[in-house]
Amino acid sequence: MRILSLLRILSRLALRDLWLRKIKTLGMGGILAMGTFLIVFGLSLLEDIEGTMKNGIIQSVAGHLQLYSKNAKDSLALFGGGFMGREDLAEIPDYSKILPSLLDHPNVAKVIPMGFEMALLGRGNESDELFDSLREALTSGDTEEIRSREEQVKFHLNFLSKEFEQGKKITADQKLLAQQTSWIAEAASDRFWLDIRLGPENKMQFLETKIAPLSGEKSPVYLRYLGTDPQLFQNAFSKFKIVSGEMIPEGKRGMLLASRFREDFLKILPARKFDMIYRKKIETGLSIATDAELKRIQRELALQHRPILTHLDFYETERLRGELVGYLEERKEHPGGSSDSLEDLLKRFLVVDDSNFLSRYNWFYEHIAPLVRLYEISPGQTIVLRSYTKSGYVKNVPVKVYGTYSFEGLERSDIAGQFNITDLVTFRELYGLMTEEALQELTDIRKTVNTQEIAKENIEAALFEGEPVVSHEPDAFSSSTFVDPQITAAKGLAEDYRPEALRQGLIINTAIFLRDESKLVDTQKELEKRISDLVPVNVIDWKKASGIVGQFIEIIRYVLLFGVSVILLVALIIINNSMIVATFERTQEIGTMRAFGAQKGFIAGLFLIEAFLLSLFASGVGTLAAWGATVWLKSVGIPAVHDVLVFLFSGSRLFPNVNETYMIAGPLIVVVLASISALYPALLAASIPPALAMQENE
Amino acid sequence: MYARVIFVMGILLSQALLALSPEETAKLVASIDENQRNSGDYKSLVFIEEKERNKPTKLFEALVYRRDVDDKWIILFTKPKSEGGKGYLRVEKNIFLYEPALGKWERTTERARIGGTNSQRSDFDESRLAEEFNHQYVGLEKLGKFPVHHLKLSVKTGIDVAFPVLHLWVDQDTKNILKKQDFSLSEKLMRTIYYPKWEKMYSRSKKADVYVPKEIRIFDEVEKDNSTLVILKEVSLDPLEANIFTKAWIEKKSK
């Protein structure tokens, strides 16, 4: 009872003092409130992000644990390690040797074999594609098909001819241009098409060597692929979903293109530019008039008429021209006459601004997209992947694309959308490790030539000190002849494989799902020990396996904790200092209180209560602000304005949750620390003797 | 003291006297081309060994067919098994790659690496030094025991070559190149190539002797550990079939 009344008196006195020093109180309170806000809001948000990111990483490709060879020169980084170039990960030569031991562990639920590599996507320009089709038609002898291809080629030649006509105004080398124009004219002549039916080889060579290069070169596309057991992968990773086409059938070699990769690299350029503007303008709310990047994309879009024109035949061109005239006239944007070419109309159509963008975007997808090949590769098509194999040789492997896929919630993420999935059999072929048999063959070849190994340092002495460099044929008047050796063409990989092939042979890493995630650390250690008895391996958790993005959250956490620490430290120093100053300012008052019988404990308690009340009130305000901000953001969502954020949020928006633990812990930490910082001034004030008050009076 | 000065002066004077005039240098460059010019068809069976840093050594055996008059050549790989039947067809500035496992062709740029090796299109072309380069005489030097002319060649304006500056060390006796260094436009050394063995053969089409390199050693000066050894096991200068430089011929041959 006595303590309560004492506390009441102390509290009233403390509140009075705080009120009398309003400005200082407000300043100190503000800093403490901010510190509390950061602890409660920042750490809650971080925990939410970590939760979504963890789910995204584990359920897309990593699993709870990843296992890879200890002989790897680089660390496994599924989503990129932050450095350019291919990672050097060693192989696990035979998966069948480690699989039983992995599955034997009581906490291991699923094991998914994997391997990552890069391949080059072989592709010619549009002329190459047209001429390939024509060659196939001529070989087949199908007259209808030949006629159809002839029309396509002639239309393309007509388009090229117009382009070269325009090129006359800007080309410096007029002689070369004239020659190229004459080639186009020759290829378009009736005589040429009569001859091609009689003897196609020479004429085809003319088209392929003289005309095809005139369309320019396409830049190469590098394709990152993940070799795995496709069925196992589909069943294990809950975020995996087929977007178009179908799943790779069991026992068939095939590929699933990442939907994001296809959108970013294999879509026709004008569509890509339209999509980029749509995302920035419509989804993010930026304006073409004010945003510099949008303006740049807008300028690039305005130049994209050519890819559309090259995809159209004569009838489609006429139809689209008519429709486009109607569209532009309806909007009074067709000042030209009805004689305008489709090229002119498209050039006008592709100039977009804030007012017409959505209408143009919709019209493009409704009327133009169905006429053109929107994507370079579509389900059902067979593509050729070129890889520089581990044996050093270049390998070209055909693989059928069965469909496209994405990870649920990560559809817009470029980081998550970089893996194109294939089966392990195709992966191993592209990886191309040197076999014992191949090595023996090379030794045999070398023996037949009897080459001399010479170090570069001694080469000139070794090569030019001995015999004369010129030898003569025995009979100087008859050149040597030799019979061509027999050529055995390398066989391609079969389309089918035995399902057990996926459980045997080379892999690079495996994803491991656990039954009980809480035992992750122990299981990680146990597996590493257990498998290393068979093959030296590293077993790492999902966060480490994800690479730089997984570490990103740790970086944010450290930055946030550092920020909070600095703010709290500043607050505590200010509290400490201002209370010391207050002690000196209030010497007379304290002395008087002591003279009236106030005990040292009373004086110290007064200062401690002051700090306590200030920090309690301030941290309460900070916690309330954090709660309010979280509740508001939960209703509207935090937009993922960058690809990394899409990945971290596992979607385009994050809806944060109120974290009760931090709402209690945050203010508690602030109150305790503030009270501790008031200890020294409180003791200093308590040590003021009553006589001092009298001396001051004198 | 005087004796030493006279000796040095003498050396310099003899160098100056031995140096070739611009006309003589031009004649020498022309004779390098002429030595190798066959004016007809060419066929060889070559062995290629390719070494690259941190990578396994690659070996190839290939047939090379060349028709200089039309600027065409074919490289058809015969060994190892995994490469068997792969072919490159060069027609003018285009190179087409044939993949027998796919039965498909791909047009590549003329600067593409042949078969993933350090060899380039120009390595398989006919020598056209006089036509494509301006020349400058550097000096008379010795390469091992061979006295050689050291020449510097710079590409003529408007001509596109892989390496715009070349240094050649040419055997005084036979007028064959023994050593060549390829430089970039900024005169950075890119490759050093040695031609230690030549064979003199009679060409029916030229109706004269031609020199054919039998061994070529290429050292990459950028990636220092990379090198290529080319050995011409067999060479024939007999006329080839008329229709050989076509896709159809290669497809048929590498079945």
Side-chain angles (χ1 to χ4, degrees):
Chain A
M1 210 48 199
R2 194 167 166 269
I3 293 172
L4 271 179
S5 61
L6 187 67
L7 278 176
R8 199 178 302 127
I9 294 165
L10 284 172
S11 303
R12 287 177 71 180
L13 281 171
L15 285 172
R16 186 207 63 166
D17 290 339
L18 288 171
W19 179 252
L20 285 173
R21 292 178 291 116
K22 285 188 283 288
I23 304 297
K24 277 184 183 171
T25 303
L26 215 62
M28 286 190 291
I31 296 169
L32 287 172
M34 195 194 289
T36 316
F37 177 85
L38 276 181
I39 293 175
V40 177
F41 181 74
L43 292 179
S44 300
L45 193 65
L46 209 62
E47 199 159 290
D48 281 328
I49 294 173
E50 194 170 4
T52 53
M53 185 189 77
K54 178 183 173 184
N55 189 37
I57 292 174
I58 291 176
Q59 293 302 334
S60 62
V61 72
H64 292 110
L65 295 172
Q66 279 278 334
L67 176 150
Y68 67 103
S69 171
K70 222 180 187 73
N71 299 328
K73 286 181 185 161
D74 297 313
S75 300
L76 177 70
L78 299 171
F79 301 103
F83 298 102
M84 298 296 282
R86 288 160 86 177
E87 289 143 5
D88 194 347
L89 298 173
E91 309 84 30
I92 294 172
D94 192 355
Y95 179 48
S96 66
K97 279 191 181 162
I98 63 164
L99 183 61
S101 295
L102 283 171
L103 291 173
D104 201 32
H105 192 284
N107 197 28
V108 171
K110 291 173 200 162
V111 181
I112 302 98
M114 291 180 176
F116 296 88
E117 259 305 333
M118 296 278 279
L120 196 63
L121 195 61
R123 55 188 200 160
N125 61 30
E126 55 263 31
S127 297
D128 289 312
E129 288 169 19
L130 272 177
F131 300 153
D132 279 350
S133 309
L134 175 65
R135 187 179 266 277
E136 275 171 28
L138 286 164
T139 311
S140 73
D142 182 338
T143 47
E144 196 51 43
E145 186 67 13
I146 296 170
R147 209 180 58 78
S148 157
R149 297 297 172 197
E150 179 185 335
E151 261 184 36
Q152 263 187 322
V153 172
K154 279 183 174 172
F155 187 72
H156 179 66
L157 290 168
N158 184 37
F159 173 71
L160 273 181
S161 166
K162 281 182 190 163
E163 269 209 335
F164 274 69
E165 196 59 41
Q166 286 180 351
K168 276 183 185 169
K169 295 168 201 159
I170 48 169
T171 304
D173 195 342
Q174 291 290 334
K175 200 175 153 194
L176 178 68
L177 190 82
Q179 192 180 40
Q180 290 168 334
T181 310
S182 75
W183 291 338
I184 297 169
E186 186 183 338
S189 69
D190 291 340
R191 179 80 225 166
F192 185 91
W193 290 94
L194 201 65
D195 287 348
I196 207 168
R197 285 180 165 83
L198 299 173
E201 195 53 49
N202 283 344
K203 297 298 170 193
M204 277 312 304
Q205 198 168 78
F206 182 88
L207 290 174
E208 288 160 347
T209 56
K210 292 202 187 299
I211 307 294
L214 302 181
S215 297
E217 304 296 339
K218 272 188 182 174
S219 52
V221 170
Y222 287 92
L223 181 142
R224 187 166 158 87
Y225 58 94
L226 185 166
T228 186
D229 177 334
Q231 273 64 37
L232 209 55
F233 190 94
Q234 184 180 30
N235 296 332
F237 293 100
S238 62
K239 283 192 169 285
F240 173 88
K241 62 170 186 185
I242 296 285
V243 176
S244 63
E246 54 173 320
M247 181 60 189
I248 305 168
E250 204 169 348
K252 291 265 184 203
R253 289 199 312 103
M255 177 162 271
L256 291 175
L257 289 177
S259 185
R260 186 78 249 146
F261 169 81
R262 190 169 172 241
E263 292 287 327
D264 286 348
F265 295 101
L266 303 174
K267 201 172 190 180
I268 188 173
L269 255 174
R272 257 191 273 170
K273 301 289 174 198
F274 263 120
D275 292 350
M276 284 160 90
I277 298 177
Y278 185 88
R279 240 177 281 157
K280 282 196 155 283
K281 182 174 161 49
I282 308 298
E283 289 179 10
T284 319
L286 296 171
S287 151
I288 298 173
T290 54
D291 187 79
E293 201 191 340
L294 263 177
K295 264 189 190 167
R296 179 183 60 78
I297 306 169
Q298 174 218 31
R299 283 197 298 273
E300 287 168 356
L301 174 62
L303 304 171
Q304 296 304 326
H305 59 281
R306 193 174 187 276
I308 299 172
L309 288 167
T310 52
H311 278 77
L312 305 175
D313 64 21
F314 175 76
Y315 303 104
E316 288 166 340
T317 304
E318 282 305 298
R319 202 178 96 199
L320 185 61
R321 198 186 148 278
E323 287 177 354
L324 205 48
V325 167
Y327 171 81
L328 292 171
E329 269 176 357
E330 207 175 288
R331 278 154 192 78
K332 300 187 172 38
E333 292 177 40
H334 184 225
S338 56
S339 60
D340 273 356
S341 68
L342 178 61
E343 189 180 337
D344 295 330
L345 294 168
L346 276 174
K347 279 180 183 170
R348 208 167 299 146
F349 173 79
L350 292 171
V351 177
V352 296
D353 56 36
D354 284 313
S355 61
N356 69 18
F357 174 74
L358 202 57
S359 156
R360 299 269 160 115
Y361 174 85
N362 290 330
W363 205 88
F364 174 83
Y365 275 104
E366 266 173 48
H367 296 83
I368 299 178
L371 297 178
V372 298
R373 211 173 81 185
L374 202 56
Y375 297 96
E376 212 172 296
I377 300 169
S378 293
Q381 209 173 321
T382 296
I383 57 172
V384 178
L385 297 179
R386 173 175 301 164
S387 72
Y388 292 89
T389 65
K390 293 286 166 182
S391 65
Y393 292 96
V394 179
K395 195 87 157 180
N396 290 294
V397 179
V399 58
K400 184 177 174 181
V401 174
Y402 279 93
T404 65
Y405 84 97
S406 69
F407 294 121
E408 190 95 50
L410 293 168
E411 293 87 350
R412 271 184 50 202
S413 168
D414 289 336
I415 298 171
Q418 58 180 293
F419 308 110
N420 300 286
I421 294 174
T422 188
D423 57 279
L424 271 173
V425 175
T426 304
F427 168 81
R428 287 176 193 141
E429 184 75 1
L430 288 164
Y431 193 77
L433 199 68
M434 184 72 83
T435 61
E436 286 296 320
E437 188 195 348
L439 214 55
Q440 186 55 48
E441 190 193 359
L442 297 188
T443 311
D444 295 342
I445 297 171
R446 193 180 279 113
K447 270 184 200 162
T448 63
V449 186
N450 194 22
T451 59
Q452 194 189 353
E453 192 85 20
I454 307 171
K456 198 190 166 198
E457 297 72 47
N458 316 316
I459 195 152
E460 293 187 4
L463 296 178
F464 301 113
E465 288 293 349
E467 297 290 305
V469 288
V470 177
S471 60
H472 294 262
E473 274 277 294
D475 176 2
F477 292 96
S478 69
S479 67
S480 79
T481 53
F482 64 93
V483 180
D484 292 359
Q486 184 67 38
I487 298 170
T488 312
K491 295 276 174 287
L493 205 57
E495 272 187 40
D496 302 325
Y497 60 84
R498 292 173 297 110
E500 54 267 32
L502 300 177
R503 295 186 289 277
Q504 301 161 347
L506 178 145
I507 60 160
I508 303 298
N509 55 313
T510 63
I512 300 165
F513 277 94
L514 304 181
R515 292 181 204 284
D516 182 358
E517 198 193 324
S518 66
K519 294 178 185 163
L520 186 142
V521 178
D522 290 339
T523 313
Q524 183 182 345
K525 286 178 191 160
E526 285 159 18
L527 286 177
E528 189 162 309
K529 191 171 177 303
R530 181 187 280 228
I531 304 302
S532 288
D533 290 342
L534 306 164
V535 185
V537 291
N538 291 313
V539 180
I540 54 173
D541 66 12
W542 61 270
K543 198 185 279 182
K544 200 167 176 206
S546 66
I548 192 92
V549 278
Q551 310 309 316
F552 192 64
I553 201 85
E554 291 304 316
I555 296 166
I556 300 174
R557 191 195 308 281
Y558 292 133
V559 169
L560 185 68
L561 286 178
F562 179 76
V564 169
S565 305
V566 168
I567 286 175
L568 286 181
L569 191 72
V570 168
L572 299 184
I573 291 170
I574 291 173
I575 289 172
N576 187 283
N577 276 345
S578 59
M579 283 204 163
I580 290 172
V581 172
T583 306
F584 291 122
E585 282 171 0
R586 291 156 66 187
T587 306
Q588 191 184 4
E589 181 192 337
I590 295 164
T592 310
M593 284 165 85
R594 294 277 284 123
F596 278 106
Q599 298 297 308
K600 283 185 177 179
F602 181 86
I603 302 297
L606 178 66
F607 274 76
L608 287 175
I609 288 282
E610 250 187 68
F612 174 78
L613 287 176
L614 171 67
S615 57
L616 188 71
F617 183 73
S619 62
V621 171
T623 307
L624 261 176
W627 175 82
T630 311
V631 168
W632 177 68
L633 287 173
K634 191 176 171 64
S635 64
V636 295
I638 307 169
V641 290
H642 189 271
D643 178 45
V644 175
L645 291 180
V646 176
F647 185 79
L648 293 178
F649 294 178
S650 261
S652 52
R653 272 176 193 272
L654 178 76
F655 298 94
N657 293 301
V658 174
N659 188 310
E660 290 84 6
T661 312
Y662 289 125
M663 282 189 70
I664 296 166
L668 199 69
I669 292 167
V670 171
V671 169
V672 169
L673 288 177
S675 303
I676 290 170
S677 79
L679 264 179
Y680 175 69
L683 292 174
L684 196 71
S687 66
I688 293 173
L692 210 61
M694 308 307 289
Q695 283 171 12
E696 287 292 322
N697 278 341
E698 279 173 12
Chain B
M1 177 69 187
Y2 285 115
R4 200 178 294 167
V5 170
I6 289 165
F7 176 73
V8 172
M9 293 287 286
I11 293 283
L12 291 174
L13 195 63
S14 64
Q15 287 283 329
L17 288 173
L18 288 169
L20 300 184
S21 65
E23 292 74 27
E24 286 170 322
T25 310
K27 219 170 152 186
L28 175 64
V29 174
S31 66
I32 296 169
D33 289 339
E34 190 53 34
N35 259 358
Q36 294 177 58
R37 185 165 294 147
N38 173 36
S39 312
D41 290 347
Y42 165 99
K43 178 172 80 167
S44 64
L45 181 65
V46 300
F47 164 88
I48 304 169
E49 183 181 57
E50 173 88 13
K51 288 183 178 167
E52 278 186 81
R53 194 217 295 247
N54 299 331
K55 285 185 183 167
T57 301
K58 282 180 280 184
L59 297 178
F60 300 92
E61 189 190 81
L63 282 161
V64 177
Y65 304 88
R66 212 169 79 187
R67 181 165 290 158
D68 296 333
V69 71
D70 292 339
D71 253 348
K72 289 175 178 173
W73 52 247
I74 289 172
I75 300 168
L76 200 54
F77 290 97
T78 55
K79 287 179 187 171
K81 271 188 240 163
S82 60
E83 300 297 297
K86 277 187 189 174
Y88 284 89
L89 167 64
R90 192 247 167 148
V91 182
E92 292 169 17
K93 291 196 168 184
N94 301 280
I95 295 177
F96 297 93
L97 162 66
Y98 180 63
E99 180 65 62
L102 313 177
K104 286 193 169 183
W105 287 91
E106 187 192 338
R107 190 171 57 81
T108 64
T109 61
E110 63 168 340
R111 285 179 194 274
R113 284 158 48 125
I114 306 296
T117 72
N118 277 337
S119 322
Q120 295 196 333
R121 190 264 295 169
S122 55
D123 296 333
F124 297 91
D125 281 352
E126 186 187 43
S127 178
R128 291 195 189 100
L129 298 173
E131 191 185 312
E132 294 175 340
F133 290 87
N134 295 315
H135 45 76
Q136 180 192 334
Y137 189 78
V138 179
L140 188 66
E141 295 175 10
K142 275 206 126 183
L143 189 66
K145 67 174 189 181
F146 295 91
V148 287
H149 296 291
H150 180 180
L151 311 177
K152 182 185 175 185
L153 273 60
S154 308
V155 73
K156 289 179 180 171
T157 315
I159 292 182
D160 184 28
V161 291
F163 300 103
V165 179
L166 309 176
H167 278 250
L168 304 179
W169 286 262
V170 183
D171 184 16
Q172 259 193 320
D173 180 25
T174 61
K175 312 283 186 290
N176 284 321
I177 299 169
L178 300 188
K179 176 181 170 184
K180 184 170 94 149
Q181 288 193 316
D182 297 332
F183 291 81
S184 67
L185 197 60
S186 59
E187 303 223 3
K188 179 181 166 59
L189 178 59
M190 307 299 283
R191 305 194 303 177
T192 300
I193 306 168
Y194 294 97
Y195 301 87
K197 288 178 187 162
W198 290 85
E199 189 164 286
K200 193 175 177 183
M201 299 178 82
Y202 182 74
S203 163
R204 284 175 185 164
S205 48
K206 190 182 178 184
K207 295 186 175 49
D209 284 341
V210 290
Y211 288 86
V212 177
K214 292 286 281 183
E215 183 177 320
I216 306 168
R217 290 179 185 262
I218 306 169
F219 293 91
D220 193 324
E221 299 287 0
V222 181
E223 291 287 341
K224 291 282 183 187
D225 295 333
N226 298 0
S227 64
T228 308
L229 167 65
V230 182
I231 292 177
L232 287 91
K233 291 162 79 174
E234 304 271 5
V235 178
S236 165
L237 303 179
D238 286 352
L240 299 166
E241 290 172 51
N243 65 345
I244 185 169
F245 297 96
T246 58
K247 287 183 175 181
W249 188 86
I250 296 173
E251 284 174 18
K252 199 175 149 198
K253 183 92 174 167
S254 77
K255 262 185 182 165

